[in-house]
Amino acid sequence: MDCVVELAGVTAGYDSKVAIEDINLCIKDRSFTGIIGPNGSGKTTLLRVITGSLTPFRGTVKVFGHPPVRVRNRIGYVPQFFNDDPYIPFSAIEVVLFGLYPHIGMIRRPGGKDVERARQALDTVGLLDKEKEPFGHLSGGQKRRVMIARALAGDPDILILDEPSSGLDVKSIRIILDLLHKLNTERNIIIILVTHNINQIASYLDTVVYMRKRIYVAGNPKEVLSKEVLSELYGAPVDVFERNGNICVLVEDSHA
């Protein structure tokens, strides 16, 4: 199967307002794909269409050859925003167990095997020692890793993340990106994420999709993250250079 996720002529939005238009996209097996673009360009809408939580106005969406709603158990999703109230009355492992309810049902209480799956997921993200810690007491980076563990508890083939590095410090971002890279290379989990942090993520990606309501350009990082392409996209001079083998993007201040 060449395209694990395939969108053809997809237009979608909310009520009658179009958020993304005429999207054609192929995401391949074992790939690590970053979706970038300015605010309001439809990145989160695209993720919602792929997960099946939003039905497009027109076009077709297939995941593993089926409509997304039929294979939701194979998709793990980590949202950008979640309840991180410091007074939230759940422990880290209880938050992870919530990710298993689509598999075990809302009526049945989690059993011993479910708890073990949750503990394994916490171990994968390096937080097994925090399993009984109140979720609201964890750091921002730890909370994000717990949310990744919640998605991993269902043993997905695709992991979709919306701005997983948002609001985090450099060290926490590096931990999360290294974790995603390991899941991709060692467990063959397909990673699809939305990000604004091009410089932090570029070295991990094999595919970059730049959106501006439509897909403006898609390809490997060296093709997409070029001086010519990005200068046109940002409407300002952009310098692209390599440092220690990593692509670095610098947007110049056109008003300086």
Side-chain angles (χ1 to χ4, degrees), residues 76-79 81-82 92 94-100 103 118 121-122 125 144-156 159:
Y77 179 65
V78 181
F81 302 109
F82 48 85
E94 287 174 323
V95 171
V96 176
L97 282 168
F98 291 146
L100 287 174
H103 303 270
L122 278 174
V125 302
R144 199 64 54 90
R145 280 192 280 158
V146 169
M147 296 301 291
I148 292 173
R150 187 180 75 162
L152 291 175
D155 195 25
L159 186 60

Side-chain angles (χ1 to χ4, degrees), residues 32 144-145 148 161 163-166 168-185 191 193-195 197-205:
F32 195 136
R144 199 64 54 90
R145 280 192 280 158
I148 292 173
L161 308 97
E163 294 282 4
S165 62
S166 177
L168 302 183
D169 58 47
V170 173
K171 181 180 178 180
S172 296
I173 292 170
R174 180 64 62 185
I175 289 172
I176 287 175
L177 293 179
D178 285 344
L179 168 63
L180 297 178
H181 176 70
K182 186 174 182 180
L183 293 171
N184 177 245
T185 57
I191 306 292
L193 62 80
V194 160
T195 183
N197 297 318
I198 300 174
N199 290 328
Q200 294 165 329
I201 194 70
S203 63
Y204 294 86
L205 303 175

Side-chain angles (χ1 to χ4, degrees), residues 104-124:
I104 66 178
M106 295 298 294
I107 299 177
R108 186 173 75 82
R109 292 179 61 85
K113 291 183 178 179
D114 302 316
V115 173
E116 184 56 33
R117 288 173 69 181
R119 296 187 80 246
Q120 288 175 357
L122 278 174
D123 190 34
T124 297

